Amino acid sequence: MIKQKGNIMDLEADVTYNGLCCYCGTCGAFCKEYITYENEIPVTKKKCYEIYGACYDFCPRTSFAPFVVERAVFGATRTDNLLGYYKGDILTARATDEVIRGKAQDGGVVSALLVSLLEQGEIDAAVVSKTSETWEPEPFVATKKEDVLAAAGSKYTQCPSVLGVGDAFEQGYKRVALVGLPCHIQGMRKVQLSTGFDVGADRVKILIGLFCTETFDMHMLRKKLEELGTRIEEVEKFNIKKGSFFVYTKGGKEIKTPIRKMRDCAREACNYCYDFAAEFADVSVGSIGSELGWSTVITRSEAGAEIVKKAEKEGVIEAKKLTEEQLKELKSLASFKKRENLKNIYDKTEPIRILNMQVEPEMLVGFLDDE
Ligand SMILES: Cc1cc2nc3c(=O)[nH]c(=O)nc-3n(C[C@H](O)[C@H](O)[C@H](O)COP(=O)(O)OP(=O)(O)OC[C@H]3O[C@@H](n4cnc5c(N)ncnc54)[C@H](O)[C@@H]3O)c2cc1C
């Protein structure tokens, strides 16, 4: 990985106040004395005088070299431009344990894998995302089945999950799994592959990635729910399926709205992400392509392929190959995100940036004109 040059002030200028911070928690996970988070962005807790800081080095948004990471993690670069590098067939799968399926978002594959890895002693902790009544997700270090189940299900607002890896290390765990969105996985890979800073990231043994189109800004989501006639405190479950956003309330109401009407709730930083299928995880899991109650599973690394194969063999999950039609659906969503966001990335890198405003050179004169 290319050695980064930058400190916390550079991180603020290049990422935080440039609309690129994805609030993944990577910058502060191993520097808690210096960085804290307020209003979903990192802020300096104590002044840091490093010229080259771990925060800048680890951030997935300062730079990310996809092919370098693929070579380092998978030993090869991608063969599929939309889904990244993967091994074997893409599967549709579900947990065999009905209790897990009852709590999970889709097929419960993520939770089933974690429970099995914990119970077999393959990992001693799993960093997941837990939420309260108000759906503000927080990283949580799970060590047993009840913990994993308490954190099952998708939270469509952002969680600084990598902070949980720092917590797990502080609590002394040595074989840790992380569940995360593409941004968390990218951040964690940068930590693992950093040549500048060693935080003992070899203790993270498995990265389970979730497919992701975007996360919602908490403030905007609250407003949208009110427009839809409910409140966040009333929500039992959210889901996104076949182009619609579903809200299930505790009172048993189902509210359905087209997903395109939720676009204005997306976090700005998500517009600059080209990774749909958590391309750098050991195993990636999502719903698209699978029937209701099943999950789509992509195995990428040796470790990831081994875990899924073992889980199937031991009856922890049942799995079958995704059909051509289902694969088409998966690729189509990956392509949609890539096409849209690569345009945004291109547009953002073109204009001159002045104090976080994007200004075309010919417009500069307008800022000098008194009339
Ligand atoms: C923000 C978001 C956007 C998504 N977008 C898509 C999409 O566009 N298309 C698609 O096919 N699938 C998407 N998914 C994935 C899908 O919703 C399911 O998470 C996935 O199918 C796994 O289902 P499961 O039943 O195996 O998971 P479960 O067994 O329910 O486990 C889910 C795990 O994810 C963790 N988790 C939940 N929310 C978050 C979060 N915000 N950050 C980090 N970890 C979290 C939980 O703690 C839990 O460990 C998205 C998920 C999220 C969180």
Side-chain angles (χ1 to χ4, degrees):
M1 186 79 75
I2 303 153
K3 182 160 170 37
Q4 294 304 316
K5 293 185 175 176
N7 58 19
I8 193 162
M9 268 99 76
D10 297 317
L11 187 75
E12 285 175 352
D14 293 352
V15 178
T16 316
Y17 299 119
N18 192 25
L20 294 178
C21 174
C22 44
Y23 187 43
C24 61
T26 315
C27 59
F30 313 99
C31 271
K32 290 188 182 160
E33 201 185 331
Y34 294 95
I35 295 178
T36 184
Y37 294 82
E38 282 171 18
N39 300 318
E40 303 195 348
I41 53 167
V43 292
T44 310
K45 195 166 155 192
K46 186 169 137 190
K47 206 145 178 58
C48 170
Y49 296 98
E50 288 295 330
I51 296 171
Y52 306 136
C55 55
Y56 198 93
D57 191 57
F58 294 164
C59 171
R61 293 298 174 88
T62 50
S63 77
F64 190 84
F67 305 127
V68 177
V69 176
E70 284 175 345
R71 264 185 231 109
V73 177
F74 309 128
T77 52
R78 62 190 51 210
T79 45
D80 187 318
N81 281 334
L82 296 173
L83 304 178
Y85 177 85
Y86 60 88
K87 278 182 183 301
D89 292 329
I90 298 181
L91 304 171
T92 178
R94 65 176 187 177
T96 51
D97 182 336
E98 281 181 23
V99 178
I100 295 182
R101 287 213 306 268
K103 294 267 181 191
Q105 186 69 24
D106 296 309
V109 171
V110 175
S111 297
L113 291 177
L114 294 179
V115 170
S116 162
L117 290 168
L118 282 168
E119 289 179 347
Q120 300 198 1
E122 298 285 336
I123 57 171
D124 53 12
V127 176
V128 289
S129 169
K130 209 169 164 178
T131 187
S132 61
E133 278 265 290
T134 51
W135 287 89
E136 274 154 301
E138 282 185 2
F140 176 65
V141 181
T143 57
K144 49 187 186 305
K145 183 174 180 179
E146 300 91 280
D147 295 346
V148 171
L149 289 184
S154 294
K155 292 91 196 171
Y156 290 107
T157 44
Q158 185 66 325
C159 174
S161 295
V162 185
L163 281 180
V165 176
D167 296 340
F169 288 179
E170 279 163 21
Q171 290 163 27
Y173 294 109
K174 293 192 170 58
R175 293 186 307 283
V176 178
L178 168 68
V179 179
L181 300 170
C183 48
H184 301 118
I185 303 298
Q186 291 188 7
M188 198 60 232
R189 287 299 184 206
K190 280 191 78 177
V191 179
Q192 288 178 320
L193 298 173
S194 171
T195 51
F197 301 89
D198 182 1
V199 296
D202 55 342
R203 284 172 285 176
V204 178
K205 302 295 181 194
I206 190 93
L207 301 185
I208 302 184
L210 306 173
F211 298 174
C212 182
T213 314
E214 67 216 348
T215 57
F216 299 134
D217 176 279
M218 186 45 112
H219 175 74
M220 297 299 286
L221 179 63
R222 276 178 186 276
K223 252 177 76 182
K224 183 65 77 176
L225 288 171
E226 276 164 28
E227 281 169 30
L228 292 170
T230 187
R231 290 182 317 123
I232 202 147
E233 291 78 7
E234 295 302 318
V235 177
E236 176 82 42
K237 184 173 176 172
F238 292 106
N239 205 1
I240 298 173
K241 204 78 197 163
K242 306 245 178 249
S244 295
F245 179 65
F246 293 89
V247 182
Y248 302 95
T249 68
K250 290 172 186 158
K253 221 162 69 174
E254 178 191 291
I255 301 167
K256 181 180 169 189
T257 189
I259 191 68
R260 68 186 142 74
K261 293 207 168 162
M262 299 298 294
R263 290 244 68 180
D264 52 348
C265 293
R267 287 175 61 85
E268 189 193 354
C270 297
N271 295 328
Y272 306 106
C273 173
Y274 54 84
D275 183 349
F276 168 75
E279 293 168 8
F280 308 94
D282 293 294
V283 183
S284 304
V285 187
S287 60
I288 188 83
S290 286
E291 288 166 38
L292 203 65
W294 289 72
S295 301
T296 300
V297 181
I298 304 180
T299 54
R300 303 183 184 280
S301 66
E302 288 289 345
E306 194 52 42
I307 285 166
V308 172
K309 214 183 324 158
K310 195 161 173 245
E312 194 184 351
K313 199 166 151 211
E314 291 173 353
V316 170
I317 59 169
E318 53 181 307
K320 49 196 181 184
K321 193 177 154 185
L322 215 63
T323 64
E324 281 304 314
E325 203 50 43
Q326 290 172 316
L327 186 61
K328 223 163 105 188
E329 208 186 331
L330 164 62
K331 286 195 173 188
S332 153
L333 189 54
S335 164
F336 172 76
K337 176 170 175 177
K338 276 193 200 292
R339 261 187 289 116
E340 289 292 304
N341 288 358
L342 284 173
K343 258 190 272 158
N344 296 334
I345 292 168
Y346 178 79
D347 288 348
K348 195 168 177 72
T349 52
E350 280 298 286
I352 293 175
R353 281 183 276 150
I354 301 169
L355 293 175
N356 197 34
M357 289 188 292
Q358 291 182 26
V359 184
E360 298 289 348
E362 59 271 23
M363 297 294 286
L364 281 175
V365 67
F367 288 88
L368 302 170
D369 202 335
D370 281 334
E371 289 175 10

